[in-house]
Amino acid sequence: MRSVLSSLWARAHQPTDAAALAAFRMLFGVLAVVIPTRFVAEGWVDRFYVRPTYYFTYWGFEWIRPLPAPWIHGVFVAMAICGALVALGLFYRVAIVGFFLLFTYVELIDVTTYLNHYYLVSLLALVMSALPLHRTWSLDAWLRPRVRAATLPRWMTWLVRFQVGVVYVFAALAKLTSDWLLHAQPLQIWLGARMSTPLIGAYFDRIEVAYAMSWAGFLYDLTIPIWLSWRRTRPLAYAMLLFFHVATGTLFQIGMFPWIMSVAALVFFDPSWPRAVLRVLRVKSEAPSIEATVPRFAGGRAVAAIALGVWCAFHVLMPLRAHAYGGNVLWHEQGMRWSWRVLCREKNGSVTYRVRYRGRRFDREIAPRDYLTRDQEVEFSAQPDMILQLAHHIAGEYRARGETDVEVRVDAWVSLNGRRMARMIDPDVDLAQVEDSLLPADWILPEPAGPPLDVATSALARIGER
């Protein structure tokens, strides 16, 4: 074992060309400019962070609050400036840490804006904060020659590859379900809604197309890190990756996800791939000479190695936590976020609150739209923890008006992957007395039994049922 660890340590610290990580830094910086710029240009800053009067918080981050306008707009401008500095490699350490803090702050403001790929952006920014990616092809290296370096230890590339590879592996495992593989759901639903797509839309009502795409998506997520890591298959694998992301981005309108994953996948390439591109463009760029010097495993380096091991273990265990709750995570949502379950469920919900106070015999019905924007209502209606949060907010409002003995119950009906609508939350439970926690929620009812319905039947079910 000692021999194996020594060999792994030596290989991890083998110097490699820093060109690939420098190119990754620059491309990531470009994305870090584009993302906040889109939010400002499209008016999404006002839509998601100014107009709402209520925001759903993450467990443990209830203290996060949005800044008022125009300060929240300034956050997005500052974020774009940080991204530009990262791309240029100017004041890199300050810029990447600043981008991580600003971007993560915005993502923590409201749970309804959660996206898997934005979670990945935060993680990559945090990883980059610990790596000296400004030592090559940067203004920092030009202005301060003492920070310049043509090589970086191999473990830095491994770490970024791990962070990207985890996404694909767990996205594949999330699709290892009967809904996805045996019933082609939710792709049947999504493709049926896109039959107006030019040229190919006419084929989307064919069940074999939905099955083919379901299995192709599963196999793609499961194997693409392998094909990208193997030199012989890498060019074809990356071409397939680009086709996959362009197709999914066109069909499903998933924002920056295709661009983020297309850039992130480049970390699987050879460390000198940017120099090969420059040679094709007839730009001279010589690869550095590699001297195999390995630092001794001691002191601070041992602590750093342990920290890396803990980091990697955390990101393997975090997506697996959903299995500790039992049941179907796509239904009860406990352990759903931060687990890379990408594009694997379609949920529609209808929620009505019933409030009783001062021992009155009748209940007052309250619609969520009285508190939420349309965007928030769509996301919240099928997620139990957000339904619980709004119930507490409603109870708090009544207590603030002097009402006593406030009880809040809910009629929450949800359809999962085309199934008939079913109650998701026990209507007899007073949610005002339930505290959110990481423990299993016994107030969430079990998922409905049986397979999903076909597209035509499920469409009628959603129309005809409450």
Side-chain angles (χ1 to χ4, degrees), residues 215-231:
W215 277 89
F218 165 68
L219 294 173
Y220 166 85
D221 286 338
L222 185 64
T223 62
I224 195 65
I226 299 173
W227 306 130
L228 287 172
S229 301
W230 191 12
R231 184 186 299 269

Side-chain angles (χ1 to χ4, degrees), residues 386-413:
M386 286 194 270
I387 293 174
L388 176 62
Q389 276 193 46
L390 188 56
H392 277 253
H393 179 72
I394 293 171
E397 275 198 347
Y398 275 82
R399 293 187 184 113
R401 295 203 296 260
E403 304 295 350
T404 59
D405 300 327
V406 180
E407 299 176 6
V408 181
R409 292 174 173 78
V410 69
D411 289 319
W413 295 79

Side-chain angles (χ1 to χ4, degrees), residues 24-342:
F24 172 72
R25 184 205 78 231
M26 290 186 279
L27 292 172
F28 182 91
V30 171
L31 292 176
V33 173
V34 172
I35 292 172
T37 300
R38 286 179 73 238
F39 268 76
V40 173
E42 297 287 346
W44 295 341
V45 181
D46 289 326
R47 177 176 169 180
F48 296 120
Y49 304 109
V50 176
R51 292 175 191 163
T53 58
Y54 177 78
Y55 298 89
F56 293 95
T57 60
Y58 289 90
W59 188 87
F61 291 91
E62 296 82 1
W63 51 275
I64 296 288
R65 289 291 184 269
L67 292 171
W71 297 105
I72 190 65
H73 296 84
V75 168
F76 281 82
V77 173
M79 202 187 303
I81 292 173
C82 287
L85 293 176
V86 169
L88 295 171
L90 181 62
F91 309 121
Y92 169 74
R93 291 288 193 183
V94 174
I96 189 62
V97 171
F99 176 81
F100 165 73
L101 293 175
L102 293 171
F103 189 88
T104 304
Y105 160 70
V106 168
E107 291 306 299
L108 290 175
I109 288 175
D110 192 344
V111 182
T112 60
T113 63
Y114 171 84
L115 291 172
N116 282 290
H117 53 283
Y118 284 161
Y119 172 47
L120 176 62
V121 169
S122 280
L123 291 179
L124 289 175
L126 182 57
V127 168
M128 292 170 67
S129 299
L131 304 181
L133 304 189
H134 61 312
R135 293 188 175 181
T136 300
W137 296 345
S138 72
L139 291 180
D140 281 346
W142 181 63
L143 294 171
R144 294 182 292 157
R146 64 184 179 83
V147 306
R148 191 179 304 162
T151 64
L152 290 172
R154 188 184 297 274
W155 68 263
M156 295 186 181
T157 300
W158 287 356
L159 178 59
V160 183
R161 286 178 178 176
F162 165 81
Q163 205 66 65
V164 177
V166 160
V167 177
Y168 284 113
V169 171
F170 281 104
L173 295 178
K175 295 177 176 65
L176 195 59
T177 64
S178 60
D179 277 18
W180 187 272
L181 297 178
L182 301 183
H183 302 285
Q185 291 287 22
L187 273 179
Q188 278 198 64
I189 297 172
W190 295 339
L191 293 177
R194 288 161 178 80
M195 293 178 59
S196 60
T197 304
L199 300 179
I200 58 176
Y203 298 97
F204 288 166
D205 66 338
R206 303 180 64 134
I207 186 65
E208 58 268 27
V209 172
Y211 274 99
M213 292 182 65
S214 291
W215 277 89
F218 165 68
L219 294 173
Y220 166 85
D221 286 338
L222 185 64
T223 62
I224 195 65
I226 299 173
W227 306 130
L228 287 172
S229 301
W230 191 12
R231 184 186 299 269
R232 292 184 179 181
T233 57
R234 190 175 290 147
L236 178 59
Y238 193 68
M240 291 177 59
L241 180 144
L242 292 177
F243 172 79
F244 174 85
H245 286 303
V246 169
T248 54
T250 301
L251 287 175
F252 305 127
Q253 299 179 354
I254 48 180
M256 293 295 295
F257 179 72
W259 296 99
I260 293 169
M261 297 309 295
S262 297
V263 166
L266 292 172
V267 300
F268 290 94
F269 279 50
D270 186 270
S272 294
W273 74 262
R275 301 188 192 278
V277 173
L278 292 176
R279 285 194 294 271
V280 172
L281 299 175
R282 300 184 182 279
V283 177
K284 186 178 180 181
S285 179
E286 296 183 1
S289 59
I290 305 296
E291 296 182 5
T293 56
V294 179
R296 189 167 58 90
F297 185 79
R301 294 190 179 96
V303 173
I306 293 172
L308 285 174
V310 171
W311 174 268
C312 294
F314 173 83
H315 287 286
V316 170
L317 296 174
M318 188 70 168
L320 295 175
R321 75 192 191 283
H323 297 287
Y325 292 100
N328 186 353
V329 64
L330 302 183
W331 175 258
H332 58 65
E333 300 278 336
Q334 294 190 284
M336 180 70 180
R337 300 185 195 103
W338 310 302
S339 65
W340 311 119
R341 287 175 167 82
V342 183

